[in-house]
Amino acid sequence: MAVSSAFYSPLLNSSSGERLFSDSSAPSHPKRIPFPSFLRGGTPRFAGLSSARVLRLPPKFSRQLRTKVRRNCSDIGVAHIAVASWSNGSASSEAPRSAVSTATDAVLVSATEDAGLVGGDGFESSLVESLADEGKASVSAANAAASLSSDGSLAVHGGERFGRGITTNAITTPVVNTSAYWFHNSDELIDFKEKRHASFEYGRYGNPTTQVLEEKMSALERAESTLFVSSGMYASVAMLSSLVPAGGHVVTTTDCYRKTRIFIQNELPKLGILVTIIDPADIESLKSALDQNNVSIFFTESPTNPFLRCVDIELVSQLCHDKGALVCIDGTFASPVNQKALTLGADLVLHSATKFLAGHNDVLGGCISGSEELISRIRMFHHVIGGVLNPNAAYMIIRGMKTLHLRVQNQNNTALAMAKFLEERPKIIRVYYPGLPSHPEHHIAQRQMSGFGGVVSFEVAGDLNTTKNFIDSLKIPYIAPSFGGCESIVDQPAIMSYWDLSESERTTKYGIKDNLVRFSFGVEGFEDLKADIVQALEKI
């Protein structure tokens, strides 16, 4: 959106704090501060940790501007557009002038002249001083944002403290409940269609609250872009459906969330997509699949569900990229606090936000993070199919993520201590936890994870009924099909997830024995949880 040169001249360079051009050399159409992509017609993206800033006008000038707008414009909404035009970003091309922006220019020039804020040389005024001070403050805020390196700071402030696209003085991000977005006039609609004006247009295409959540997740995962959707399962479906062409080839692993495997094995072949399933640690089988097939993507969890197997993300990424295949890691069991798959070479990382991210067992959601190019392809598919995250759910996930690092660190400590404790119990046959030296991929987990997660799986000495009695004797955890929340949750996979299969089939095909227990530790006290497990073991 164009603005008079009298206003652009004193603006500061976002990185150096210097003027963009001198007073005497100001052109008739001044050099513009680069506009963010959303002001050039793209989907609004407000990077939570970028140098983009909004320069707020002085209160006195804002009041005078609004008065002038009312006198000179039939559309009072121009006042809001004028204020919104004071922004800069990181692209290079100039935003085309629309009918609205032209009108805004005229109002800005007229209002400033009438207000007496522009002196003889155009710059010696309180407006210039205020803009300069505001610019310096914005630069300082951007520098502060760039200095946030800890996951704790990013989980709290990413997407919000530095660059939130919703104008508000509220500390918390507002919930924008709307199904559609309106246009001021037909010219603005045309500008939108021709990518000169930013709008979500319709609720399925985006929401400001959800956008804040996406920026927060991108900051945590060190990703260029993130897409949040209605569930983790839908995230998997959208990712595979948009990135694997008809006749493509998918490689996945034996140990994984069962519904993901069902979709890959049963639905993808209907599209002519071939599927190869390998053991998570079987690198030779992965090499063979890559050599013999035109593999589109290698998709696996790490750690996996429910045996917490770990994939060497750096190695498989090198192997796959050499053959032109993508790598997507479902990092739900790790969370971005414990593992950052993208920094290890993966192209995409996927999460069920229902679990550790939201962390309170009260909301469904899923997300995919990666490069802008790949996420844009998935986003286009998502815009057509749906699976939209409700803005109220987005707000709840934002709220949950602000304590993500605290919860996960606590759960890491509890789970590791409990895994060691369980290994010493005579009534426990085997413990599956990547933090234990006995785990087959412990060496991999040590290298690529900063913590080993809050879920421990183990086998009880006994049959189906013995294991049922153990679980039913526990007093603290809930028997439920999820994990990652504040409340501890326990389940017996043979019943919870595989009851429709015979014992021999679930054991032979998937390794799910009747005595397997998956225990997700919440944030309760360790001693209370240990005492509860001890008394339950005494009952079998």
Side-chain angles (χ1 to χ4, degrees):
M1 187 176 293
V3 183
S4 167
S5 61
F7 285 86
Y8 267 93
S9 298
L11 295 185
L12 302 174
N13 182 287
S14 62
S15 59
S16 65
E18 300 175 353
R19 297 187 180 195
L20 295 180
F21 45 76
S22 65
D23 302 346
S24 60
S25 63
S28 57
H29 290 287
K31 176 182 177 181
R32 292 176 183 272
I33 294 176
F35 275 55
S37 61
F38 73 90
L39 289 178
R40 301 193 312 278
T43 302
R45 308 298 304 167
F46 298 92
L49 299 175
S50 72
S51 60
R53 69 179 189 273
V54 175
L55 301 180
R56 293 177 175 81
L57 303 178
K60 177 182 176 183
F61 175 76
S62 295
R63 289 193 297 271
Q64 293 167 331
L65 174 59
R66 285 193 293 269
T67 300
K68 192 66 178 178
V69 167
R70 292 188 181 97
R71 292 174 181 170
N72 292 276
C73 295
S74 59
D75 185 358
I76 197 170
V78 172
H80 299 290
I81 300 173
V83 174
S85 69
W86 291 87
S87 61
N88 73 324
S90 58
S92 57
S93 62
E94 184 173 301
R97 297 167 63 91
S98 66
V100 174
S101 64
T102 304
T104 305
D105 288 354
V107 174
L108 284 168
V109 174
S110 179
T112 51
E113 289 174 348
D114 285 1
L117 294 175
V118 180
D121 58 1
F123 306 110
E124 299 300 322
S125 66
S126 60
L127 172 63
V128 173
E129 294 173 0
S130 179
L131 286 174
D133 291 342
E134 192 70 41
K136 291 175 182 176
S138 298
V139 170
S140 297
N143 291 337
S147 70
L148 299 182
S149 58
S150 74
D151 286 338
S153 298
L154 293 174
V156 174
H157 293 301
E160 297 186 273
R161 185 73 169 96
F162 310 105
R164 177 168 54 197
I166 306 173
T167 303
T168 175
N169 289 328
I171 292 176
T172 56
T173 294
V175 180
V176 180
N177 279 315
T178 186
S179 59
Y181 303 84
W182 63 285
F183 298 88
H184 288 84
N185 51 48
S186 297
D187 283 338
E188 187 174 86
L189 174 58
I190 292 172
D191 281 351
F192 166 73
K193 293 297 182 180
E194 296 183 357
K195 302 188 182 306
R196 294 188 298 270
H197 171 74
S199 174
F200 289 115
E201 182 186 14
Y202 189 58
R204 195 167 75 249
Y205 307 144
N207 177 277
T209 307
T210 304
Q211 185 179 73
V212 167
L213 174 60
E214 291 174 342
E215 297 295 351
K216 187 181 293 292
M217 192 64 190
S218 291
L220 276 172
E221 283 289 11
R222 312 298 193 264
E224 289 182 2
S225 185
T226 295
L227 171 66
F228 261 86
V229 294
S230 57
S231 72
M233 188 63 228
Y234 172 74
S236 299
V237 171
M239 183 274 297
L240 290 168
S241 298
S242 57
L243 298 183
V244 182
H249 195 114
V250 173
V251 178
T252 190
T253 52
T254 51
D255 194 34
C256 67
Y257 176 53
R258 190 183 176 200
K259 293 300 189 295
T260 302
R261 182 168 52 237
I262 288 174
F263 176 76
I264 291 175
Q265 286 186 303
N266 296 354
E267 301 303 320
L268 291 184
K270 296 177 183 178
L271 302 175
I273 295 172
L274 300 176
V275 176
T276 297
I277 301 176
I278 64 174
D279 183 89
D282 193 347
I283 296 299
E284 292 305 314
S285 290
L286 175 61
K287 290 179 180 178
S288 177
L290 291 168
D291 289 339
Q292 298 175 21
N293 304 279
N294 183 19
V295 176
S296 306
I297 191 166
F298 174 49
F299 178 42
T300 186
E301 302 166 6
S302 188
T304 61
N305 182 16
F307 294 111
L308 305 166
R309 303 289 300 278
C310 295
V311 174
D312 189 331
I313 300 174
E314 186 173 7
L315 176 58
V316 300
S317 296
Q318 291 174 353
L319 294 174
C320 290
H321 293 162
D322 287 345
K323 296 293 184 177
L326 297 173
V327 174
C328 179
I329 301 296
D330 184 331
T332 301
F333 272 80
S335 87
V337 173
N338 287 332
Q339 176 179 276
K340 300 188 189 304
L342 299 180
T343 66
L344 294 169
D347 301 286
L348 296 160
V349 59
L350 184 147
H351 292 272
S352 169
T354 309
K355 312 305 191 295
F356 287 105
L357 295 182
H360 290 77
N361 292 317
D362 59 2
V363 61
L364 293 177
C367 64
I368 317 159
S369 302
S371 68
E372 183 66 45
E373 190 273 328
L374 290 176
I375 298 300
S376 294
R377 289 166 61 184
I378 302 170
R379 196 182 297 274
M380 289 176 63
F381 174 87
H382 167 66
H383 286 174
V384 174
I385 302 302
V388 179
L389 182 70
N390 184 282
N392 293 280
Y395 172 83
M396 294 174 74
I397 298 173
I398 289 172
R399 183 183 62 177
M401 286 181 67
K402 292 185 181 184
T403 59
L404 174 66
H405 61 298
L406 302 175
R407 290 184 284 101
V408 169
Q409 287 167 8
N410 180 280
Q411 290 164 307
N412 286 343
N413 295 336
T414 297
L416 179 58
M418 199 66 74
K420 293 177 179 178
F421 169 77
L422 289 169
E423 271 199 321
E424 298 173 353
R425 300 302 97 191
K427 293 183 180 179
I428 302 297
I429 298 175
R430 184 173 181 181
V431 179
Y432 302 91
Y433 188 68
L436 295 176
S438 58
H439 190 278
E441 286 86 47
H442 176 63
H443 62 292
I444 295 175
Q446 280 187 309
R447 187 169 65 248
Q448 66 188 23
M449 300 180 74
S450 58
F452 304 111
V455 180
V456 178
S457 294
F458 53 93
E459 293 172 0
V460 175
D463 57 12
L464 181 74
N465 288 326
T466 302
T467 308
K468 279 173 52 184
N469 291 337
F470 164 73
I471 288 178
D472 291 345
S473 297
L474 292 166
K475 300 183 183 337
I476 293 178
Y478 292 94
I479 301 175
S482 193
F483 60 89
C486 291
E487 299 87 359
S488 290
I489 285 178
V490 67
D491 77 270
Q492 191 171 352
I495 299 176
M496 184 66 73
S497 303
Y498 292 87
W499 192 243
D500 58 315
L501 303 180
S502 66
E503 179 185 356
S504 60
E505 187 176 3
R506 60 178 176 256
T507 302
T508 304
K509 278 190 174 183
Y510 308 113
I512 306 296
K513 299 179 182 179
D514 288 346
N515 62 346
L516 180 66
V517 175
R518 189 184 72 174
F519 204 126
S520 170
F521 293 99
V523 296
E524 303 95 345
F526 172 77
E527 292 300 328
D528 291 334
L529 289 165
K530 184 173 77 168
D532 192 26
I533 290 177
V534 168
Q535 66 84 23
L537 287 173
E538 290 175 349
K539 303 239 180 109
I540 60 172

